Amino acid sequence: MSSTFAIVIHGGAGTISKKEMTDELEKAFLQGLTDAINAGYSVLEKGGTAIRAAQASVMSLEDNELFNAGKGSVFTRKGIHEMDAAIMDGKTLGAGAVAGVRNIRNPIELAAEVMLNSDHVLLSGEGANEFALYRKLKIEPTEYFFSKTRYDQWKEARDSEDYVLDHNHEKSKEKRIGTVGAVALDSEGNVAAATSTGGMTNKNFGRLGDTPVIGSGTYANNRTAAISCTGHGEMFIRAVAAYDVSCLMEYKGLSLHEAMDIVVNDKLVKLKGEGGIIGVDPKGNIAMLFNSEGMYRGARNNMGLNETAIYK
Amino acid sequence: MSSTFAIVIHGGAGTISKKEMTDELEKAFLQGLTDAINAGYSVLEKGGTAIRAAQASVMSLEDNELFNAGKGSVFTRKGIHEMDAAIMDGKTLGAGAVAGVRNIRNPIELAAEVMLNSDHVLLSGEGANEFALYRKLKIEPTEYFFSKTRYDQWKEARDSEDYVLDHNHEKSKEKRIGTVGAVALDSEGNVAAATSTGGMTNKNFGRLGDTPVIGSGTYANNRTAAISCTGHGEMFIRAVAAYDVSCLMEYKGLSLHEAMDIVVNDKLVKLKGEGGIIGVDPKGNIAMLFNSEGMYRGARNNMGLNETAIYK
C-alpha cells in the first residue's frame, strides 16, 4: 500500500526545435499538458484507480488537436486517419489494444473496452470499429479529425513522396511522429499505463508502430512499473522497449530510472530509435527520459510535484 | 562461432487427444512435421542462414493443410481467412510482421519482405496486402485456403455462437487455436525465429493474437535465444512471453530450458495461458515445453538429433 499517488504524461518526442516554436504555440502545448495532467490527477484525488486516471489523461490529449492522437491524428497516405491505442493494468496484467481504427473519438476508451469487455487483447481495423459500434463508443465524422496543420504536413509529405519506402529518416522527422501517453499510480499502490497515437504522417500499407503492441509501447506491472513510450515505433518494437524496462527492474534489481536510462540512452540509441519513455513505479518514483531534442511531458503527485516541460 | 546447427519447429499446441486421433491422421501430422524440419535443415546443411531456415520450415507448414497457417488457416466469423506472421533475426534484431492478411500463400514470406524491404516492422490488413502485391508475393485464390475440416470446425463454432464474446474457453478449444513456428541456429552461430497462424476459428472484430506481436509470439537475439510460441494468444501477449524467456536468460543468467520452464509452467499457467514455446540458443541448446496436453513439434541438428512428437 502506498499513500503517494501520481500521474505522468507525454505528448510525443522528437526534433522539437525551440526556434521553430512561437511563444503562443508553446503556451498552448504547456496548457494542453497541464489540462491532461489535471484530468488524471483529479481521478486519483477522488480515490479513482490508476487505470481510470491514465485513461482520463490520454483522453484529454486525444481531444486536443495539438497532439497526434484522437482529434489531432495525422493523415495516412490515403488521406485518412488510422489510430492505435493500448492500455494495461499493472494489478491484473489485463490489457487492451486497438490498431488502425477510424472515426473513434477516443481510441484509448476503445482499448479499455477491449480489456474489460472482450476475451481479447488486440483488435484491428474494421473489426475493431465494429466492436466500437457494438460497445456504443463515441464516433465522430471524419471532419472532426481535420486540422489545417496536419493537412499541411501531410500535403508536404505526400508531394515529396516522403512515405513508407523513403529511407531518408532525417527529413522533417519531427512532423511525422508523435504519440500521447500516461502512466499513473493510485493510492492503493496500483500502476497503469495508456498510450494513443495517430501514427506516422503519410504512413502506408497499414503500418503499425509500437503503440498497440503490449510490451513495446505500453506495459504495466505492479511488481515493477507502468511504462508508456513515444518515438520511432519500429525500433521500440524491435527493442520490446516497455517490457525491457520492466525486466531490467524485476530481474536485475535496477531502479526505474536506471532501467529506463539503459533502454532510452543505450539500447534504443544503438538501434537509432529516437524517442522517449515515461514511467512510474508503485513507490511513486517517476522517470521521464528521452534521447531526442525534446519531449512534451508533465508530472504531478500529492507530494507537491507539479511540472510540465518540452525541451531538455 | 558455433559448428552446431539446428532447426526446431512446432505445429501448434492444445488439447490434442490421442483417442480422437486416427493412426492415419497421426502419421500425416508426423510426416508434415518431418517435411518441415527437413526443409529448414536442408537450408542449414548448405550453409544457409538461420533466418532462411526458419522461414523454409514455416513455409512447409503453411503449405500443409493440416496446420493452422497458410493453406490450412481457419475461418473467421465472416467466413474468410485472415492470417498473421512474424519473423526476427537474432543477429541484427531485424524484425518483420504482418497481421490480418488475406490470400497470401506464405504470410511468413511477406513478414520477411517487411523486414528486409521496408522501413517498417508491422503491416496490417489491406495495406499489408497492397505491400504484398507491390513486392510480387505469391497470391492464391480464396478456394486455395478451403479445407473440409476447417469448414466443419467453423460451422460448428458459428452455429453454437462460440465466438469472441463467449466466455466458455473450455469448449472445443483444441479446434480453435493453432500456430506454426520454427527457430533455427546456423553454423555461424546466428539464431532466428518465425511464426505463422490462421488465428482462432470464428474470430471476430479483427482479433489478433500473439503471432504478429514481436516479443510475445516471436523473438530472436543472438545474446540469448530464438523463440516461437503457440497457444492462447491473449495470455502470451499479456505475458510478453517470448521476450520474457530472453530476459530471464540475459538478466538472470538462466539457461534456455530454465527460463522457458518459468514462463510456460509458472507465469503462463497463472494467467491460464495454455500453450507451448520452442527455442534454440546460439550454443545449440534446444527446448520445447508446453503446459497443454500436446504440442506438434520436432527438432533436428547436425549432432544426430532428429525427432518429432505430438503428446507429452
Side-chain angles (χ1 to χ4, degrees):
Chain A
M1 285 292 197
S2 163
S3 56
T4 310
F5 57 86
I7 181 86
V8 187
I9 66 165
H10 68 74
T15 313
I16 304 167
S17 170
K18 199 168 165 65
K19 62 185 177 195
E20 285 180 28
M21 179 80 85
T22 63
D23 283 353
E24 199 183 6
L25 191 57
E26 187 173 303
K27 206 175 146 189
F29 269 114
L30 291 171
Q31 186 60 50
L33 293 170
T34 301
D35 292 347
I37 287 172
N38 291 342
Y41 190 82
S42 122
V43 170
L44 296 171
E45 208 171 27
K46 291 173 194 147
T49 62
I51 198 94
R52 287 296 172 208
Q55 184 180 331
S57 285
V58 168
M59 283 176 72
S60 170
L61 292 161
E62 285 176 336
D63 289 344
N64 185 331
E65 78 168 42
L66 288 175
F67 300 98
N68 178 20
K71 186 168 172 50
S73 291
V74 299
F75 288 89
T76 70
R77 184 122 198 272
K78 290 185 174 166
I80 59 177
H81 305 280
E82 288 182 345
M83 302 169 285
D84 314 320
I87 195 163
M88 187 159 183
D89 185 341
K91 184 183 178 185
T92 62
L93 300 185
V98 291
V101 297
R102 293 166 62 174
N103 296 94
I104 308 295
R105 184 186 174 102
N106 293 108
I108 199 66
E109 209 177 2
L110 183 55
E113 282 289 327
V114 173
M115 174 174 77
L116 298 171
N117 295 306
S118 85
D119 284 345
H120 299 310
V121 168
L122 175 54
L123 301 183
S124 64
E126 278 177 43
N129 266 80
E130 285 167 22
F131 181 73
L133 290 173
Y134 174 74
R135 295 297 309 172
K136 301 188 169 54
L137 269 277
K138 220 177 269 177
I139 307 294
E140 296 289 352
T142 303
E143 293 72 16
Y144 169 82
F145 301 91
F146 182 86
S147 97
K148 185 70 172 55
T149 319
R150 299 301 184 199
Y151 178 67
D152 291 342
Q153 285 170 359
W154 173 69
K155 271 205 306 188
E156 191 195 324
R158 181 197 63 183
D159 296 342
S160 65
E161 296 262 315
D162 182 15
Y163 64 100
V164 62
L165 295 170
D166 183 338
H167 287 260
N168 182 1
H169 280 303
E170 300 310 312
K171 190 167 54 176
S172 58
K173 187 190 296 173
E174 140 230 21
K175 294 170 183 165
R176 302 196 305 162
I177 58 178
T179 308
V180 309
V183 294
L185 164 67
D186 64 30
S187 54
E188 303 284 318
N190 298 312
V191 296
T195 314
S196 182
T197 188
M200 187 182 269
T201 297
N202 216 27
K203 70 185 173 186
N204 201 0
F205 299 136
R207 178 262 184 189
L208 297 175
D210 61 317
T211 299
V213 179
I214 297 295
S216 290
T218 308
Y219 186 73
N221 190 332
N222 277 359
R223 296 168 66 98
T224 53
I227 304 291
S228 173
C229 303
T230 174
H232 191 171
E234 279 72 9
M235 306 311 155
F236 282 72
I237 292 177
R238 290 168 59 194
V240 200
Y243 191 54
D244 202 25
V245 173
S246 178
C247 286
L248 284 163
M249 295 175 71
E250 185 169 3
Y251 302 145
K252 291 201 88 169
L254 301 188
S255 71
L256 173 64
H257 191 279
E258 289 165 341
M260 204 185 283
D261 186 45
I262 288 174
V263 176
V264 172
N265 293 315
D266 180 31
K267 292 197 174 194
L268 282 167
V269 168
K270 281 176 184 155
L271 288 172
K272 297 188 180 159
E274 191 180 341
I277 308 186
I278 60 169
V280 65
D281 73 17
K283 288 179 193 153
N285 294 304
I286 284 168
M288 302 183 276
L289 300 185
F290 51 100
N291 59 35
S292 48
E293 271 185 43
M295 177 165 78
Y296 299 103
R297 62 199 187 277
R300 185 174 176 190
N301 68 15
N302 62 333
M303 316 295 274
L305 175 74
N306 193 358
E307 60 173 45
T308 55
I310 300 177
Y311 316 104
K312 280 234 154 116
Chain B
M1 284 292 199
S2 162
S3 56
T4 312
F5 56 86
I7 181 86
V8 187
I9 65 165
H10 69 75
T15 313
I16 303 167
S17 169
K18 200 171 165 64
K19 62 185 177 194
E20 285 181 29
M21 178 80 84
T22 64
D23 284 352
E24 198 182 8
L25 191 57
E26 187 171 304
K27 206 175 147 189
F29 269 115
L30 291 171
Q31 186 59 51
L33 293 170
T34 301
D35 292 347
I37 286 172
N38 291 342
Y41 191 83
S42 120
V43 170
L44 296 170
E45 208 171 25
K46 291 173 194 147
T49 62
I51 198 95
R52 287 296 171 209
Q55 184 181 329
S57 286
V58 168
M59 283 176 72
S60 170
L61 292 161
E62 285 176 336
D63 289 344
N64 185 329
E65 79 169 40
L66 287 174
F67 300 97
N68 178 20
K71 186 169 172 50
S73 291
V74 300
F75 288 88
T76 70
R77 185 123 200 271
K78 290 185 173 166
I80 59 177
H81 305 280
E82 290 182 343
M83 302 171 285
D84 314 320
I87 195 163
M88 188 161 181
D89 184 340
K91 184 183 178 185
T92 62
L93 300 185
V98 292
V101 296
R102 294 167 61 176
N103 297 95
I104 308 295
R105 184 186 176 102
N106 293 108
I108 198 66
E109 209 177 2
L110 184 55
E113 282 288 328
V114 172
M115 175 175 75
L116 298 171
N117 295 305
S118 85
D119 284 345
H120 299 311
V121 168
L122 176 53
L123 301 184
S124 65
E126 279 178 41
N129 266 78
E130 285 168 23
F131 181 72
L133 290 173
Y134 172 75
R135 294 300 307 173
K136 301 188 169 55
L137 269 276
K138 221 177 268 177
I139 307 295
E140 297 287 353
T142 302
E143 293 73 16
Y144 169 82
F145 301 91
F146 182 87
S147 98
K148 184 69 171 57
T149 319
R150 299 300 184 198
Y151 177 69
D152 290 344
Q153 285 171 359
W154 174 69
K155 271 206 305 189
E156 191 194 323
R158 181 196 62 182
D159 296 343
S160 65
E161 296 264 314
D162 181 16
Y163 64 100
V164 63
L165 295 170
D166 184 337
H167 288 259
N168 182 1
H169 280 301
E170 301 310 312
K171 189 168 54 174
S172 58
K173 187 190 296 173
E174 142 229 21
K175 295 172 183 165
R176 302 196 304 160
I177 58 177
T179 307
V180 308
V183 294
L185 165 67
D186 64 31
S187 53
E188 303 283 318
N190 298 311
V191 296
T195 315
S196 182
T197 188
M200 187 181 269
T201 297
N202 216 26
K203 69 185 173 186
N204 202 359
F205 298 136
R207 177 262 184 188
L208 298 175
D210 61 318
T211 299
V213 179
I214 297 295
S216 290
T218 309
Y219 186 75
N221 190 332
N222 277 359
R223 296 168 66 99
T224 53
I227 304 290
S228 173
C229 303
T230 173
H232 190 170
E234 278 72 10
M235 305 311 156
F236 282 72
I237 293 177
R238 291 169 58 194
V240 200
Y243 191 56
D244 202 24
V245 173
S246 178
C247 286
L248 284 163
M249 295 176 71
E250 185 169 2
Y251 303 145
K252 291 202 89 169
L254 300 188
S255 72
L256 174 64
H257 190 280
E258 290 166 341
M260 205 185 283
D261 186 45
I262 288 174
V263 176
V264 172
N265 293 316
D266 180 31
K267 291 196 174 196
L268 282 168
V269 168
K270 281 175 185 156
L271 287 173
K272 297 189 179 157
E274 190 181 340
I277 308 186
I278 60 169
V280 64
D281 72 16
K283 288 178 192 153
N285 293 304
I286 285 168
M288 302 182 276
L289 299 184
F290 51 100
N291 59 33
S292 48
E293 271 186 43
M295 177 166 78
Y296 300 103
R297 62 198 187 277
R300 186 173 175 192
N301 68 15
N302 62 333
M303 317 295 274
L305 175 74
N306 192 358
E307 60 174 46
T308 56
I310 299 177
Y311 315 105
K312 279 234 153 124

